[in-house]
Amino acid sequence: MINKPRGRRAVNLQILPSAMTVVSICAGLTSIKFALEQKPVTAMALIVVAAILDGLDGRVARILDAQSRMGAEIDSLADAVNFGVTPALVLYVTMLSTWPVGWMVVLLYAVCVVLRLARYNALQDDGTQPAYAREFFVGMPAPAGAVSMIGLLALKLQFGEGWWTSVWFLCIWVTGTSILMVSAIPMKKIHTVSVPPNLAAALLAVLAIFAAAAVLAPYILIWVIIIAYVCHIPFAVRSKRWLARHPEVWADKPKQRRAARRAIRRAHPHRRSMARLGLRKPGGRP
């Protein structure tokens, strides 16, 4: 009797996205441990690791077709821990523990992260949203808020003590970040950004520079990211308003939308300059 070779068991990868989410929670909670041990660099690094895993688990779930309601709930809870509780406690332990007002502002931040995530989950189930709304966050996303928080610690590690470590600056910054997260300001989702083919080489060069900066000047890189994100907000607001006025392009690809915007600008060459100057046509019409 000839024995047939036993086939290998199929490896079930459906659990991989949830496993990545659990690992990110472990990284976030371990970050608090290192902050309590006065190791802020390691604490910041673990928050960054949690943010990277958060950005990857959803994409892995889509690639493996492993999206589930349970996975979505775990991901939301992980965001509350990693980008709400963890940055708040790390910043409090390292920079704000000596002032009573410090606990108030980090508490505000953590609560705003939870509110922001609850609103995000509610909007996911809202079928009345227009198609283009899926391309924007409502308010600052939780990972961006966490980067904003650890940016304060990065300033101290890079430049030492100064006005940027004063309690008033820290409180204003944390409060401002908290307000941005619960605001209705649209912010572009990174995975929806399309790069024209003629700029692909330049983008790769910029990524190479970022990779080098991550090793040579990581604290400066954090603030480059923060400033770049803040600068993108006016463009995101303008883009969403333009899409709201042009439903005919909602189903178009980014390249087609850019062509449509160019065509509209050529058809109305003076509209932009008039809007900047606050001018109106006779009769009160814009």
Short mmCIF file of all heavy atoms in Angstrom, two decimals, residues 108-120 123 137-142 145 174-187:
data_model
loop_
_atom_site.label_atom_id
_atom_site.label_comp_id
_atom_site.label_asym_id
_atom_site.label_seq_id
_atom_site.Cartn_x
_atom_site.Cartn_y
_atom_site.Cartn_z
N LEU A 108 -8.79 66.12 29.31
CA LEU A 108 -9.58 66.66 28.19
C LEU A 108 -9.18 65.99 26.88
O LEU A 108 -10.05 65.62 26.08
CB LEU A 108 -9.35 68.18 28.10
CG LEU A 108 -9.95 68.86 26.87
CD1 LEU A 108 -11.47 68.81 26.90
CD2 LEU A 108 -9.47 70.32 26.78
N TYR A 109 -7.89 65.83 26.68
CA TYR A 109 -7.42 65.20 25.44
C TYR A 109 -7.95 63.77 25.32
O TYR A 109 -8.47 63.38 24.26
CB TYR A 109 -5.89 65.19 25.42
CG TYR A 109 -5.33 64.36 24.30
CD1 TYR A 109 -5.24 64.86 23.01
CD2 TYR A 109 -4.90 63.04 24.53
CE1 TYR A 109 -4.74 64.08 21.97
CE2 TYR A 109 -4.41 62.26 23.50
CZ TYR A 109 -4.33 62.78 22.23
OH TYR A 109 -3.86 61.99 21.21
N ALA A 110 -7.82 62.98 26.38
CA ALA A 110 -8.27 61.58 26.33
C ALA A 110 -9.76 61.49 26.05
O ALA A 110 -10.22 60.65 25.27
CB ALA A 110 -7.91 60.88 27.63
N VAL A 111 -10.54 62.36 26.69
CA VAL A 111 -11.99 62.35 26.46
C VAL A 111 -12.31 62.73 25.03
O VAL A 111 -13.19 62.12 24.38
CB VAL A 111 -12.68 63.31 27.46
CG1 VAL A 111 -14.15 63.50 27.08
CG2 VAL A 111 -12.58 62.76 28.87
N CYS A 112 -11.60 63.71 24.48
CA CYS A 112 -11.85 64.14 23.10
C CYS A 112 -11.51 63.04 22.10
O CYS A 112 -12.17 62.89 21.07
CB CYS A 112 -11.07 65.41 22.78
SG CYS A 112 -11.74 66.90 23.56
N VAL A 113 -10.47 62.25 22.39
CA VAL A 113 -10.14 61.12 21.52
C VAL A 113 -11.30 60.12 21.50
O VAL A 113 -11.70 59.63 20.44
CB VAL A 113 -8.84 60.44 21.98
CG1 VAL A 113 -8.64 59.12 21.22
CG2 VAL A 113 -7.65 61.35 21.73
N VAL A 114 -11.84 59.81 22.66
CA VAL A 114 -12.96 58.86 22.74
C VAL A 114 -14.17 59.41 21.99
O VAL A 114 -14.85 58.67 21.24
CB VAL A 114 -13.31 58.56 24.21
CG1 VAL A 114 -14.57 57.70 24.29
CG2 VAL A 114 -12.14 57.84 24.89
N LEU A 115 -14.48 60.70 22.18
CA LEU A 115 -15.61 61.31 21.47
C LEU A 115 -15.38 61.30 19.97
O LEU A 115 -16.30 61.04 19.19
CB LEU A 115 -15.81 62.75 21.96
CG LEU A 115 -16.25 62.91 23.41
CD1 LEU A 115 -16.30 64.38 23.79
CD2 LEU A 115 -17.62 62.26 23.63
N ARG A 116 -14.14 61.57 19.56
CA ARG A 116 -13.83 61.58 18.14
C ARG A 116 -14.01 60.18 17.53
O ARG A 116 -14.54 60.04 16.42
CB ARG A 116 -12.39 62.06 17.96
CG ARG A 116 -11.97 62.29 16.52
CD ARG A 116 -11.08 61.19 16.01
NE ARG A 116 -10.74 61.37 14.61
CZ ARG A 116 -11.53 61.02 13.61
NH1 ARG A 116 -12.71 60.52 13.87
NH2 ARG A 116 -11.17 61.18 12.36
N LEU A 117 -13.57 59.15 18.23
CA LEU A 117 -13.72 57.79 17.73
C LEU A 117 -15.18 57.37 17.70
O LEU A 117 -15.61 56.67 16.77
CB LEU A 117 -12.91 56.83 18.61
CG LEU A 117 -11.38 56.99 18.52
CD1 LEU A 117 -10.69 56.16 19.59
CD2 LEU A 117 -10.88 56.59 17.14
N ALA A 118 -15.95 57.77 18.70
CA ALA A 118 -17.38 57.44 18.71
C ALA A 118 -18.09 58.09 17.52
O ALA A 118 -18.93 57.46 16.86
CB ALA A 118 -18.01 57.91 20.03
N ARG A 119 -17.74 59.34 17.21
CA ARG A 119 -18.35 60.00 16.05
C ARG A 119 -17.93 59.32 14.76
O ARG A 119 -18.74 59.15 13.84
CB ARG A 119 -17.96 61.48 16.03
CG ARG A 119 -18.56 62.26 14.86
CD ARG A 119 -18.20 63.71 14.91
NE ARG A 119 -16.76 63.92 14.80
CZ ARG A 119 -16.18 65.12 14.89
NH1 ARG A 119 -16.92 66.19 15.09
NH2 ARG A 119 -14.87 65.23 14.77
N TYR A 120 -16.67 58.93 14.68
CA TYR A 120 -16.19 58.25 13.48
C TYR A 120 -16.95 56.95 13.25
O TYR A 120 -17.38 56.66 12.11
CB TYR A 120 -14.69 57.97 13.61
CG TYR A 120 -14.12 57.17 12.47
CD1 TYR A 120 -13.80 57.78 11.26
CD2 TYR A 120 -13.91 55.79 12.60
CE1 TYR A 120 -13.28 57.04 10.20
CE2 TYR A 120 -13.39 55.06 11.55
CZ TYR A 120 -13.07 55.68 10.36
OH TYR A 120 -12.58 54.94 9.32
N LEU A 123 -20.45 57.72 11.98
CA LEU A 123 -20.48 58.16 10.58
C LEU A 123 -20.25 57.00 9.62
O LEU A 123 -20.71 57.04 8.47
CB LEU A 123 -19.41 59.24 10.36
CG LEU A 123 -19.68 60.60 11.01
CD1 LEU A 123 -18.50 61.54 10.81
CD2 LEU A 123 -20.95 61.23 10.44
N PHE A 137 -11.60 62.83 6.80
CA PHE A 137 -11.92 62.68 8.21
C PHE A 137 -12.71 63.90 8.66
O PHE A 137 -12.51 65.00 8.13
CB PHE A 137 -10.65 62.57 9.06
CG PHE A 137 -9.90 61.28 8.90
CD1 PHE A 137 -8.64 61.26 8.32
CD2 PHE A 137 -10.44 60.09 9.35
CE1 PHE A 137 -7.94 60.07 8.18
CE2 PHE A 137 -9.75 58.89 9.22
CZ PHE A 137 -8.50 58.89 8.63
N VAL A 138 -13.56 63.72 9.64
CA VAL A 138 -14.24 64.85 10.29
C VAL A 138 -13.46 65.16 11.56
O VAL A 138 -13.53 64.43 12.54
CB VAL A 138 -15.71 64.53 10.60
CG1 VAL A 138 -16.38 65.73 11.26
CG2 VAL A 138 -16.45 64.14 9.33
N GLY A 139 -12.69 66.22 11.54
CA GLY A 139 -11.79 66.51 12.64
C GLY A 139 -10.47 65.77 12.49
O GLY A 139 -10.30 64.91 11.62
N MET A 140 -9.54 66.10 13.35
CA MET A 140 -8.22 65.46 13.30
C MET A 140 -8.31 64.00 13.74
O MET A 140 -8.90 63.71 14.78
CB MET A 140 -7.24 66.22 14.22
CG MET A 140 -5.85 65.60 14.28
SD MET A 140 -4.74 66.50 15.39
CE MET A 140 -4.39 67.97 14.43
N PRO A 141 -7.75 63.07 12.97
CA PRO A 141 -7.78 61.66 13.38
C PRO A 141 -6.93 61.43 14.63
O PRO A 141 -6.00 62.18 14.92
CB PRO A 141 -7.21 60.92 12.17
CG PRO A 141 -6.42 61.95 11.43
CD PRO A 141 -7.11 63.26 11.66
N ALA A 142 -7.27 60.37 15.35
CA ALA A 142 -6.59 60.09 16.62
C ALA A 142 -5.08 59.88 16.47
O ALA A 142 -4.31 60.40 17.29
CB ALA A 142 -7.24 58.88 17.29
N GLY A 145 -3.46 63.19 16.34
CA GLY A 145 -3.48 63.81 17.66
C GLY A 145 -2.37 63.28 18.55
O GLY A 145 -1.73 64.04 19.29
N VAL A 174 -2.13 71.30 23.91
CA VAL A 174 -2.94 70.11 24.13
C VAL A 174 -4.42 70.43 23.96
O VAL A 174 -5.18 69.66 23.36
CB VAL A 174 -2.67 69.51 25.52
CG1 VAL A 174 -3.60 68.32 25.79
CG2 VAL A 174 -1.22 69.06 25.62
N THR A 175 -4.84 71.58 24.48
CA THR A 175 -6.25 71.98 24.33
C THR A 175 -6.61 72.20 22.87
O THR A 175 -7.67 71.78 22.40
CB THR A 175 -6.53 73.26 25.13
OG1 THR A 175 -6.21 73.03 26.52
CG2 THR A 175 -7.99 73.66 25.03
N GLY A 176 -5.71 72.86 22.13
CA GLY A 176 -5.95 73.07 20.70
C GLY A 176 -6.05 71.77 19.93
O GLY A 176 -6.92 71.60 19.07
N THR A 177 -5.17 70.81 20.25
CA THR A 177 -5.23 69.50 19.60
C THR A 177 -6.55 68.80 19.93
O THR A 177 -7.18 68.20 19.05
CB THR A 177 -4.05 68.63 20.07
OG1 THR A 177 -2.82 69.26 19.74
CG2 THR A 177 -4.11 67.25 19.44
N SER A 178 -6.99 68.92 21.17
CA SER A 178 -8.25 68.28 21.57
C SER A 178 -9.42 68.88 20.82
O SER A 178 -10.31 68.15 20.35
CB SER A 178 -8.45 68.46 23.08
OG SER A 178 -7.35 67.95 23.81
N ILE A 179 -9.43 70.21 20.67
CA ILE A 179 -10.53 70.87 19.95
C ILE A 179 -10.54 70.46 18.48
O ILE A 179 -11.60 70.24 17.88
CB ILE A 179 -10.40 72.39 20.10
CG1 ILE A 179 -10.66 72.79 21.55
CG2 ILE A 179 -11.38 73.12 19.18
CD1 ILE A 179 -10.38 74.26 21.85
N LEU A 180 -9.35 70.35 17.87
CA LEU A 180 -9.28 69.94 16.47
C LEU A 180 -9.87 68.54 16.26
O LEU A 180 -10.50 68.28 15.23
CB LEU A 180 -7.83 69.97 15.97
CG LEU A 180 -7.26 71.33 15.57
CD1 LEU A 180 -5.80 71.19 15.19
CD2 LEU A 180 -8.06 71.93 14.42
N MET A 181 -9.68 67.66 17.22
CA MET A 181 -10.18 66.29 17.05
C MET A 181 -11.69 66.22 17.11
O MET A 181 -12.29 65.37 16.43
CB MET A 181 -9.56 65.38 18.11
CG MET A 181 -8.10 65.05 17.83
SD MET A 181 -7.49 63.69 18.82
CE MET A 181 -7.66 64.40 20.44
N VAL A 182 -12.33 67.07 17.90
CA VAL A 182 -13.80 67.01 17.98
C VAL A 182 -14.45 68.06 17.09
O VAL A 182 -15.67 68.22 17.10
CB VAL A 182 -14.27 67.20 19.44
CG1 VAL A 182 -13.80 66.04 20.31
CG2 VAL A 182 -13.80 68.53 20.02
N SER A 183 -13.65 68.79 16.31
CA SER A 183 -14.20 69.80 15.41
C SER A 183 -14.79 69.13 14.18
O SER A 183 -14.67 67.92 13.98
CB SER A 183 -13.11 70.78 14.99
OG SER A 183 -12.18 70.14 14.12
N ALA A 184 -15.43 69.94 13.34
CA ALA A 184 -16.01 69.45 12.08
C ALA A 184 -15.12 69.79 10.89
O ALA A 184 -15.56 69.70 9.74
CB ALA A 184 -17.40 70.03 11.89
N ILE A 185 -13.87 70.18 11.14
CA ILE A 185 -12.97 70.56 10.06
C ILE A 185 -12.58 69.31 9.26
O ILE A 185 -12.12 68.33 9.84
CB ILE A 185 -11.70 71.23 10.62
CG1 ILE A 185 -12.07 72.50 11.38
CG2 ILE A 185 -10.72 71.56 9.51
CD1 ILE A 185 -10.91 73.15 12.10
N PRO A 186 -12.76 69.31 7.95
CA PRO A 186 -12.38 68.13 7.15
C PRO A 186 -10.87 68.02 7.01
O PRO A 186 -10.17 69.01 6.85
CB PRO A 186 -13.05 68.39 5.80
CG PRO A 186 -13.15 69.88 5.70
CD PRO A 186 -13.37 70.38 7.12
N MET A 187 -10.39 66.80 7.07
CA MET A 187 -8.97 66.51 6.88
C MET A 187 -8.84 65.31 5.96
O MET A 187 -9.54 64.31 6.14
CB MET A 187 -8.28 66.27 8.22
CG MET A 187 -8.40 67.46 9.15
SD MET A 187 -7.36 67.37 10.61
CE MET A 187 -7.95 68.83 11.49
#
